[in-house]
Amino acid sequence: MHLLAARQDELDAGPQAEDLGQTPADLVMLSFSDSDLTALAAAWRAGRERLPGLRLANLNRLGHPLSVDLYADTVVAKAKLVVLRLLGGSGYWRYGLDRLSALCRERGIPLAVLSGEAQPDPNLTAYGTVPPATADRLWRYFTEGGPANMGHLLACATTLAGTPLPHEDPAPVPRFGAYDGWTGPAAARVAAPIAAGAPVAAIVFYRSHLLAGDLAPVHALCDALAARGLAPRPLFVASLKEPDCAAWMRASLTAQNAAIVVNTTAFSAAREDGSPLEANGSPVLQAILATTPKAGWQASSRG
C-alpha cells in the first residue's frame, strides 16, 4: 500500500495511510487536541535542558491502520513512556488503542490512556499499564492546564520513564490574573531596557491561551511595545463577561494607571456601566489573533 509523505487535507477525504516521519524518543504523547500538543511543545522547549526527547502527534493523522502500525513499530516500540489522550471514548480510535495497548504490554512500556473530557474514564484507564492513580494524576495536569502544570507533567512523565525529576501536584489556574511569563524585552529586538516610569500598555488575552501555552503572540506584542518605550503588562481573563473577571480588570487597569489597552479578546466587553477595558479612560486598541497561517491571510482578500 502507498504511504503519503504528507496528508492530503480534503474536506471529504477519509483516513489515509501516512508516514509521520518521526524518529524515536523516550517520551511519546498523542492527542486529538492541538491545544494539548501546543502546550506540551511549549513546556518541553522551556525545560529542554533537563528533559528527554519528546514526540508529539495528533491522532487525526493516525486514522488509518497502516499509519498506526508504522508509528507503533518505529516510534512507540522504542519509547520509555507513552501517554495517549482520547476524546470521545475508546470507539473513536479503537484499532490504535488496541494496537498500542498490546505493544506496550508486550514490551513493558509504561502506557497511560487518559480521557480528553472533563471527567476521567475508567474504561480508558484500563487500557494502560500504569496504576490508576498515576493515570489520574497525568489526566489532572491536562485538565488544569497552563505552562506550570504542563512543565510538571513532563517532569512527572520523565520520572515515570526512569529519570527522576522534581515535580509538584496539579494545581488550578485562576480565572484571571497577571501573566508573569514574559520577563523582559528580547535583546535582539529591544535596544534598551524599559525605563522606570514608562507608560503602561496593558495586553488583555484569554485564559485559554495560557492553558494551551499558546503565548508567542502575547510575547511578540510585549516585545514590540517595549521596543517603543512602553511597559507591557499582560493580563489574562476567562471572559470579560464574568463579573469577577470584569471587576478585577477594572481594578487592575486603574491600579496600574494603564496608558493604553491592547485587547485581543474577541467579543464586546460593553456593559451598562461601560466596558471594564475603559476603566482608566485610556485608548483601547483591538488586536486580532489569527487562527490561520500567515500565508493564507496574505493571499486572501478577507485577510
Side-chain angles (χ1 to χ4, degrees):
M1 183 177 290
H2 180 63
L3 283 176
L4 298 176
R7 183 183 178 94
Q8 295 176 351
D9 288 317
E10 298 176 2
L11 291 178
D12 298 322
Q16 301 177 55
E18 178 182 2
D19 181 359
L20 300 191
Q22 291 186 358
T23 56
D26 286 356
L27 305 181
V28 175
M29 300 194 179
L30 310 173
S31 174
F32 278 117
S33 169
D34 284 335
S35 295
D36 286 351
L37 303 178
T38 299
L40 288 166
W44 185 87
R45 286 193 294 269
R48 65 196 311 167
E49 294 182 357
R50 67 186 187 125
L51 294 171
L54 171 68
R55 295 294 176 265
L56 304 171
N58 191 304
L59 292 170
N60 285 314
R61 299 186 65 187
L62 295 172
H64 195 286
L66 186 56
S67 301
V68 172
D69 288 339
L70 182 63
Y71 194 81
D73 292 339
T74 59
V75 179
V76 174
K78 300 174 184 177
K80 294 182 179 179
L81 175 75
V82 179
V83 177
L84 175 59
R85 192 162 190 248
L86 286 174
L87 285 166
S90 60
Y92 283 83
W93 203 58
R94 171 66 71 183
Y95 179 80
L97 184 56
D98 289 340
R99 179 76 165 83
L100 264 60
S101 181
L103 175 64
C104 289
R105 291 180 189 280
E106 176 187 338
R107 300 289 183 95
I109 301 170
L111 168 67
V113 182
L114 316 176
S115 168
E117 312 290 346
Q119 297 294 327
D121 185 342
N123 293 326
L124 287 177
T125 303
Y127 280 90
T129 64
V130 301
T134 300
D136 181 71
R137 183 185 184 90
L138 295 172
W139 172 78
R140 287 172 53 218
Y141 282 124
F142 278 107
T143 55
E144 298 296 353
N149 282 316
M150 289 297 102
H152 291 307
L153 184 155
L154 290 179
C156 179
T158 301
T159 300
L160 293 172
T163 303
L165 285 180
H167 53 277
E168 298 178 6
D169 291 337
V173 177
R175 300 290 290 172
F176 52 81
Y179 169 63
D180 59 5
W182 184 79
T183 56
R189 300 178 185 175
V190 181
I194 298 171
V200 170
I203 301 170
V204 181
F205 66 98
Y206 279 126
R207 176 178 177 267
S208 59
H209 288 279
L210 178 65
L211 297 182
D214 186 14
L215 297 164
V218 175
H219 289 191
L221 274 172
C222 288
D223 284 344
L225 292 168
R228 289 158 176 80
L230 299 172
R233 295 289 188 274
L235 311 171
F236 68 88
V237 290
S239 171
L240 287 170
K241 294 181 180 180
E242 294 184 9
D244 288 350
C245 291
W248 177 83
M249 184 61 66
R250 289 179 186 276
S252 184
L253 294 176
T254 301
Q256 298 186 35
N257 192 26
I260 192 168
V261 177
V262 181
N263 177 44
T264 70
T265 67
F267 297 97
S268 172
R271 302 165 62 92
E272 292 182 0
D273 54 351
S275 168
L277 300 178
E278 300 170 341
N280 204 47
S282 50
V284 179
L285 303 180
Q286 180 69 45
I288 304 298
L289 298 185
T291 57
T292 54
K294 182 177 180 180
W297 276 81
Q298 291 176 328
S300 169
S301 59
R302 288 191 299 160

